[in-house]
Amino acid sequence: REALVGLLVAGLLAGCATVPTSGPVRTHDASDQQVNSSVQVAPVPPADGASEMLVVEGFLHAMGTDQTDYQIARQYLTPAASEAWHPETGASVYADGTLPTETESSVVLLATVVGTLDSGGGYQELPSQLRHDFGLVKNAQGQWRISHPPRGLLISRYHFTTFYTGVELNFLDRTGVSLVPDPRFFPLRADLPGTAVRAQLAGANRWLAPAVRKWDSGTITAERVTLTAKGLLEISLAASAKSLPDKERRSLMAELVQTGVGLPGVTAVRFLADGAVWTLTGGGATDLTPRDFPGLSPTADQAPGRLFVSRDDKVHQFDIDVNWSDAVPVAPGLTRPGALAVRGDLGQIATVSQDGRRVLLSAPAAAASRVVASGSGMLRPDFSRQGELWVLGGATRARDFIVLGGSDSHRLEFTVSKLPNASVRAFALSPDGSRMALILRGDDSDQLGIARVVRTGDAVGLEEFRSLAVFSSIEAGRRLLDVGWTTGTQMLALVSHPDQALSVVRIDQDAALSEDIGPNEVRGLSELAVVPGRPAVVRGGAGAYRYEGDFNWKLTLPNVDHVAYSG
């Protein structure tokens, strides 16, 4: 132990030589790290004669370190408690800096729970207060043991960010247009590919499940999952998979390939069923990548995001693959445009009139436009991956959305379920179209959250709002101005603070990560343009600022009124 402490101290002293003494102050959250570089201390069984406090501390440490059936952690329990304990049911993640306290009769953990993990690895921000009495008793050998463990795991935020890794499972949406990511967190272990594949085959999490496809052919299971040294993930499915119709087989392969290639070290996926290698229908490919399923990627639209701005009472398109200075006027039928939305295939442009009373629609080459919605204080509209146009008036509730679909932009049947009765300040559909980020107005501060989008025939539903904490603490007077999706599961939110400072915050859809990325020194910001694969743009102040790194935003397009990416 003394030698280890000496090494750690030497390492810390050596690190001090490179600590920066200047530069911007940045907020960092360790949950964004997927590689553990810290010293790991393996759990050990309880020592002979260990005190009540040491038994509880040892149990907490053993719960935070993944082992087969948590065999070390179980040694801290009475036999009856071990039999009744079910760590596979999930985990409560509590705030760092919390230690158990000893009373006259027991040892108790008083902690703030920051989130929960369900049995499938799904994380949800769920702040609450925890008080757990471990019920220390002495066994026949006179050793202290725990008689009252939690139902599942209790792990600290440190253990969660150090010993768990994020994985995106993928499920085909109900329309068959796009794969939808389902973020999960699993313990770092050698069998991570097998864990991910089994979780994939078990289905989407409860919240997402209504928005994605369901199997018609029963349960599909994997008998074996192996990863070769060359990065080929081999998935051997049970014999029942051979009976899948071609359409369902292709859907299953698309889902597992997208998930598999996202795992560390995986370059391609091969399928076997009852010992026979599967190939794509009509082709001989066996080692598959997402390129074998074109158009289904959660973030791939029909065309890469193009940048559009409104200025000088016209709509302009920039070819940012070449430079950020050459603009071409488009949609001459849209005169005096306001906030913009552009369909992913560039087929339609929607804009709010400058008086905020109408939403107009036009093709890029059309000399005329038509009014598709009217109201007061209309918010920036948005196109879905499925081609719908979503519009909403300002200071109105989510139940008042108008959803237009088809080549004739006819109005679709629209329903809401389990959404707060609050005014909407801004909204943005996820790249796959199956989730919506919503900013809801509050009396003292605004609220960010997501709701799922469920499509059935010619009807669309917006369901089950889940709130997300943009920062860990509530700040009275804080306002959220805009939101957009920068990946399939990550958003940017534009925040106005009570001191008039403005900042962009990067946040995961499950709030496992939330961090400020600037530009705090620019005033008057009011609008985000965000799309996967393109640099984020924030508009206000002297014009549009392009993201070039955390706290590094460059004024790129001066004197623009509004800005938007297609998609």
Side-chain angles (χ1 to χ4, degrees), residues 84-160:
W85 185 46
H86 295 285
E88 74 281 358
T89 58
S92 294
V93 182
Y94 60 89
D96 290 333
T98 304
L99 297 174
T101 57
E102 196 166 10
T103 69
E104 292 183 0
S105 58
S106 189
V107 177
V108 177
L109 180 66
L110 300 170
T112 298
V113 173
V114 296
T116 61
L117 277 172
D118 62 28
S119 58
Y123 180 86
Q124 183 178 1
E125 178 198 26
L126 200 65
S128 63
Q129 294 300 311
L130 167 75
R131 184 187 187 280
H132 188 83
D133 186 330
F134 292 90
L136 273 296
V137 296
K138 280 191 174 181
N139 62 15
Q141 292 74 39
Q143 305 294 322
W144 288 109
R145 293 295 182 262
I146 293 169
S147 68
H148 182 226
R151 180 172 183 270
L153 297 171
L154 280 178
I155 56 176
S156 68
R157 176 77 176 173
Y158 167 79
H159 279 98
F160 176 54

Side-chain angles (χ1 to χ4, degrees), residues 475-544:
E475 183 182 32
R478 179 188 295 153
R479 294 298 177 186
L480 305 178
L481 306 181
D482 203 2
V483 65
W485 294 79
T486 186
T487 74
T489 58
Q490 195 172 84
M491 293 163 277
L492 297 183
L494 179 59
V495 183
S496 173
H497 301 274
D499 62 359
Q500 305 304 312
L502 294 119
S503 62
V504 177
V505 175
R506 183 188 294 125
I507 182 169
D508 287 347
Q509 72 164 48
D510 49 23
L513 164 73
S514 177
E515 59 183 358
D516 186 345
I517 60 173
N520 306 86
E521 73 282 359
V522 182
R523 303 287 176 171
L525 300 176
S526 60
E527 184 179 49
L528 282 167
V530 183
V531 72
R534 298 294 195 184
V537 175
V538 60
R539 182 194 61 81

Side-chain angles (χ1 to χ4, degrees), residues 264-340:
V266 178
T267 58
V269 180
R270 177 183 294 173
F271 295 91
L272 296 90
D274 198 23
V277 178
W278 273 7
T279 62
L280 280 178
T281 304
T286 59
D287 299 352
L288 307 175
T289 71
R291 290 190 298 273
D292 293 300
F293 305 92
L296 290 182
S297 168
T299 57
D301 277 325
Q302 300 93 326
R306 305 296 185 186
L307 187 67
F308 292 76
V309 305
S310 63
R311 68 180 183 189
D312 301 328
D313 291 335
K314 295 179 182 178
V315 179
H316 296 79
Q317 178 182 342
F318 284 83
D319 186 357
I320 60 175
D321 290 323
V322 177
N323 57 55
W324 287 71
S325 59
D326 295 335
V328 177
V330 295
L334 296 175
T335 57
R336 304 189 66 197
L340 299 166

Side-chain angles (χ1 to χ4, degrees), residues 72-94:
I72 299 297
R74 291 185 184 278
Q75 295 182 41
Y76 288 88
L77 308 177
T78 65
S82 178
E83 182 71 22
W85 185 46
H86 295 285
E88 74 281 358
T89 58
S92 294
V93 182
Y94 60 89

Side-chain angles (χ1 to χ4, degrees), residues 154-174:
L154 280 178
I155 56 176
S156 68
R157 176 77 176 173
Y158 167 79
H159 279 98
F160 176 54
T161 58
T162 303
F163 299 112
Y164 283 73
T165 187
V167 171
E168 287 186 5
L169 309 184
N170 290 271
F171 299 93
L172 198 62
D173 83 301
R174 294 180 67 167

Side-chain angles (χ1 to χ4, degrees), residues 96-430:
D96 290 333
T98 304
L99 297 174
T101 57
E102 196 166 10
T103 69
E104 292 183 0
S105 58
S106 189
V107 177
V108 177
L109 180 66
L110 300 170
T112 298
V113 173
V114 296
T116 61
L117 277 172
D118 62 28
S119 58
Y123 180 86
Q124 183 178 1
E125 178 198 26
L126 200 65
S128 63
Q129 294 300 311
L130 167 75
R131 184 187 187 280
H132 188 83
D133 186 330
F134 292 90
L136 273 296
V137 296
K138 280 191 174 181
N139 62 15
Q141 292 74 39
Q143 305 294 322
W144 288 109
R145 293 295 182 262
I146 293 169
S147 68
H148 182 226
R151 180 172 183 270
L153 297 171
L154 280 178
I155 56 176
S156 68
R157 176 77 176 173
Y158 167 79
H159 279 98
F160 176 54
T161 58
T162 303
F163 299 112
Y164 283 73
T165 187
V167 171
E168 287 186 5
L169 309 184
N170 290 271
F171 299 93
L172 198 62
D173 83 301
R174 294 180 67 167
T175 67
V177 168
S178 172
L179 290 166
V180 183
D182 182 358
R184 307 289 183 93
F185 291 86
F186 301 124
L188 282 165
R189 56 168 67 137
D191 189 35
L192 179 61
T195 301
V197 168
R198 287 188 289 272
Q200 175 88 52
L201 293 174
N205 70 62
R206 183 204 63 80
W207 182 84
L208 183 62
V212 299
R213 68 100 184 95
K214 296 178 177 62
W215 289 113
D216 296 326
S217 304
T219 302
I220 305 298
T221 60
E223 294 182 336
R224 188 176 68 258
V225 179
T226 57
L227 178 60
T228 71
K230 294 184 178 181
L232 178 63
L233 184 66
E234 237 182 41
I235 302 175
S236 298
L237 300 171
S240 59
K242 293 175 63 178
S243 62
L244 282 176
D246 287 347
K247 185 177 180 180
E248 289 198 8
R249 175 189 291 200
R250 185 178 180 85
S251 297
L252 174 66
M253 295 168 81
E255 292 180 349
L256 285 169
V257 167
Q258 186 73 35
T259 295
V261 173
L263 297 172
V266 178
T267 58
V269 180
R270 177 183 294 173
F271 295 91
L272 296 90
D274 198 23
V277 178
W278 273 7
T279 62
L280 280 178
T281 304
T286 59
D287 299 352
L288 307 175
T289 71
R291 290 190 298 273
D292 293 300
F293 305 92
L296 290 182
S297 168
T299 57
D301 277 325
Q302 300 93 326
R306 305 296 185 186
L307 187 67
F308 292 76
V309 305
S310 63
R311 68 180 183 189
D312 301 328
D313 291 335
K314 295 179 182 178
V315 179
H316 296 79
Q317 178 182 342
F318 284 83
D319 186 357
I320 60 175
D321 290 323
V322 177
N323 57 55
W324 287 71
S325 59
D326 295 335
V328 177
V330 295
L334 296 175
T335 57
R336 304 189 66 197
L340 299 166
V342 184
R343 205 169 69 187
D345 63 357
L346 310 182
Q348 289 184 324
I349 300 175
T351 183
V352 177
S353 61
Q354 288 190 359
D355 62 7
R357 295 181 178 276
R358 297 168 297 151
V359 173
L360 300 98
L361 191 65
S362 174
S369 63
R370 58 193 176 98
V371 176
V372 293
S374 58
S376 60
M378 301 296 289
L379 301 179
R380 180 188 60 208
D382 199 9
F383 284 99
S384 72
R385 177 78 165 264
Q386 290 72 17
E388 307 143 349
L389 177 62
W390 292 62
V391 296
L392 184 67
T396 53
R397 274 64 173 170
R399 65 171 180 263
D400 299 317
F401 270 109
I402 297 173
V403 185
L404 307 173
S407 57
D408 59 348
S409 300
H410 64 280
R411 187 164 177 169
L412 304 180
E413 180 184 347
F414 178 71
T415 60
V416 297
S417 174
K418 298 181 181 179
L419 264 68
N421 187 31
S423 299
V424 179
R425 180 185 289 272
F427 66 95
L429 287 154
S430 63

